[in-house]
Structure formats: structure tokens, C-alpha cells
Amino acid sequence: MTLSPARVPTTGGVRRLTATLYGYAFLDDLVLLYPLYALLFADSGLSLWQISSLFALWSVTGVLLEVPSGAWADAVSRRTLLWLGPLLGAAGFTLWVTVPSYGAFAVGFVLWGAGGALASGALEALVYDELDRHGAADRYARVLGRARAAGLLGVMAAMAAAGPVFALGGYPAVGAASVAACLLASAVACRFPDDRERAADAEGWAATLRTGLATVRRDRSLRGALLLVPAVACVWSALDEYSPLLVRETGVPDGYVPYALLLIWAAVTAVSLLAGPAERLGRAGFTRLVAVSALALAVGALFRTPAGLVLVAVAFAGFQLATLLAEVRLQHRIEEGGRATLTSVSGLGTELLTITVYAAYAAAGDHASHATVFAAFAVPYLAAALLRAAMPTKRA
């Protein structure tokens, strides 16, 4: 672990930082289109392959911009990137509901993906460095878990509101509410600490990128922490995009799909608050967490009934906690400097693997039900858990 020397915590600065972070996370995910956009695509006449290609385009955008944007965040003001990102998402959502078509959906995903890439790495780096500056870096796991919970509360609020808003005004009303949330998130981001002084002393983004990648090559522990994040996150985060289709397949009416998804994300939100205490899980505990989550995913999906969604919720919650622990481990192993760059490198790995999952899902979905495909994607997690358990014991 590479924490900075002990400093006296300054609660005022930490309190302002965390309040801004939680508000930003909530609003950034308060997108009423979340539980409905897969249905919007299907209702607009898109095939499963076309829908999967949109998800892949979203990830490709992240692949192309993830690392450069992280290096840019280390070279310029991270706060600037954080308020700019939601504005791009707002533009994309506007396109979706005003001219619903494959082309508009594609452009919207590019804009949304670009906005996400700007914030990815920049947010984690800003928060960790600010906590460290105030002598509170050891609180990062707890703060990150609460921030993810705040974001998931935004997702849950969006799911709860999506049904009534959709009933009142259809997709245009849902889209307008999503755009409003993005604009509010951008406004809240302006309250983050201004780090232009740090940015002024930084190298150019290209030099920052080279330095960060050289650090990964030299430091084996850092490299392992960096690779663990995409290994845990890629499959379940991709399956999330298809979860409305799985819910519909169980017989849940379209108007109740958001409420069924609400059950899943309630579990994910609750477990996010355990990130701080869960840091005490060792290697064996982490491995068991992944294995149990994989089994719950497979069994819950194969039930093919609304009741099975309870186990799917348990699985997603377990994978969320494992992802948080992997992300915290990575931040603790990054030395000061290049933090956003290396976080974005991890994000790049996640995006590359996620694209593979989208392609595999589309291919399998042509020959099997969504339930079967969900269950099949539990296998990589089980295999990885067994392999990790069989390896010689090392430091977690």
C-alpha cells in the first residue's frame, strides 16, 4: 500500500468534498432512460445485433478516449472534465428521443461514451488526491462505497420515476427528465476543488501517459491491481445492459420492468455501503465472494421467473462489492502523480473486455434465451475463482 505520510485530517475540506461527490454521483445516474433505453431501441425496430452493436460502439468510444482523457485529466483541471462530461450525455439523450433511429442512437452513445471517458479516472483521482491532501486517504474505500451507493440511489430513483413519467409522456418525457439531471450534475461538478494549480505543474498529457505506462511495466504489484479491476467488472457490467430484456423474458409487463430492476439495484446499492468494512476480506474471502455471486447469477437466471430475479440481485450485489474492492486496491497502489492516467488504463481494459462480452452475447442470443446466456456468463467467474483458489497464497 502506498499511502502518503500521516497528516492531521481537516474535516471541513473532507466534508465539502464528499457532499459534492455524493450529489454529483446521484445526479449523474439519475437518468430515467436507464431502465427503458433497451426497450426504446427494440420498439424503434432494432434487432438484437443492432442493439448489441450500439453497446459495443459505446465501449469502443471508451476504448479510444479512456486513456487519453485520463492523461488529459492529469495534465489539466480534473474539475473541468467533470462538468463537461454530463453536458455531452445530455446532448446524446436529446438526440435519442427527438430523432429515434439507429444513426441517432449511435451518435448519442458516442457522446455519452465521450462524457463518461472524461469523468472516468478524473473523478477517482481528484477524490483520492483531495482526501490524501486532507490527511484522510484511509477513508477512500468508505467514501468510494458511499459515492457508488449515491449513484445507485440515483439509478433507483430513476427506475421508480421512469414508469409514471413514461405513462404521462412516453419516451420524450423520460428523455427530458434525463437531460435535466445531466445539466444539474454539470452544475454540481463546479463545486469540486479547483486543481488548476496542480495541473499547471504537470507534464503534457502525452508525457503523463508515457510516465504512467512505464510505472505499470516496472511495478508488478500495481500491474496486478490494475488487471484485477477489468477481470471482475467486465462481464456483469455488460450483462446489466441486457437486464431489462431478461426481466421482460420472465413475464414482467413492460410498465413494471423498471420496478423489477429496482429490486436488483436496491441490493447493489446496499452492498456498496459495505466497501469500507469489506476491505478486511482476504484473498480467500474475495475469491468466495466472486464464486458465490457467479452461482447466484446462474441459478437465478435459469429459474426464468420473476422470483429468480432475487438471486440475480444477489449476484449483481456481490460483483459490485468485488469491483469496489478491486478499485480501492488499485488506488492504494498508485503513487502520487499519474493517478487519473492509470485509473483510465484500468478502465480501458474493462471496456475492451466488455466489447467482447457484447459480441458474445449477440452471437449466443441468436440461439438461446436471455436466461441461458446470463447463466453461461457465470462460467468465466466460476473458472476464475477456482483458478485463484488453486494458486499459491499471496498477499491479497
Side-chain angles (χ1 to χ4, degrees), residues 42 183 224 232:
L183 297 179
V232 174

Side-chain angles (χ1 to χ4, degrees), residues 177-341:
S178 301
V179 169
C182 290
L183 297 179
L184 288 172
S186 180
V188 169
C190 296
R191 285 178 46 85
F192 278 117
D194 189 354
D195 56 351
R196 284 179 296 181
E197 181 178 349
R198 174 204 55 78
D201 295 334
E203 304 171 297
W205 77 267
T208 301
L209 177 58
R210 288 194 298 270
T211 301
L213 294 178
T215 302
V216 172
R217 288 194 296 269
R218 291 193 306 267
D219 190 336
R220 181 177 179 181
S221 175
L222 174 59
R223 187 164 62 249
L226 189 148
L227 293 173
L228 182 62
V229 176
V232 174
C234 68
V235 174
W236 84 274
S237 61
L239 292 180
D240 169 42
E241 305 304 328
Y242 298 96
S243 57
L245 301 176
L246 174 69
V247 171
R248 174 190 270 178
E249 189 178 80
T250 66
V252 175
D254 286 358
Y256 290 91
V257 167
Y259 302 116
L261 295 175
L262 191 61
L263 166 69
I264 296 174
W265 290 104
V268 175
T269 301
V271 82
S272 298
L273 298 174
L274 300 177
E279 273 197 288
R280 294 191 292 268
L281 281 177
R283 175 194 179 92
F286 184 90
T287 302
R288 285 194 295 270
L289 175 65
V290 173
V292 170
S293 300
L295 287 172
L297 177 64
V299 175
L302 290 176
F303 272 171
R304 292 183 171 88
T305 65
L309 297 176
V310 175
L311 283 176
V312 175
V314 170
F316 275 31
F319 291 137
Q320 165 76 351
L321 184 57
T323 301
L324 284 170
L325 294 175
E327 291 176 348
V328 169
R329 182 174 183 263
L330 172 62
Q331 293 300 325
H332 283 328
R333 278 164 172 72
I334 298 176
E335 299 284 356
E336 290 189 18
R339 186 173 300 280
T341 302

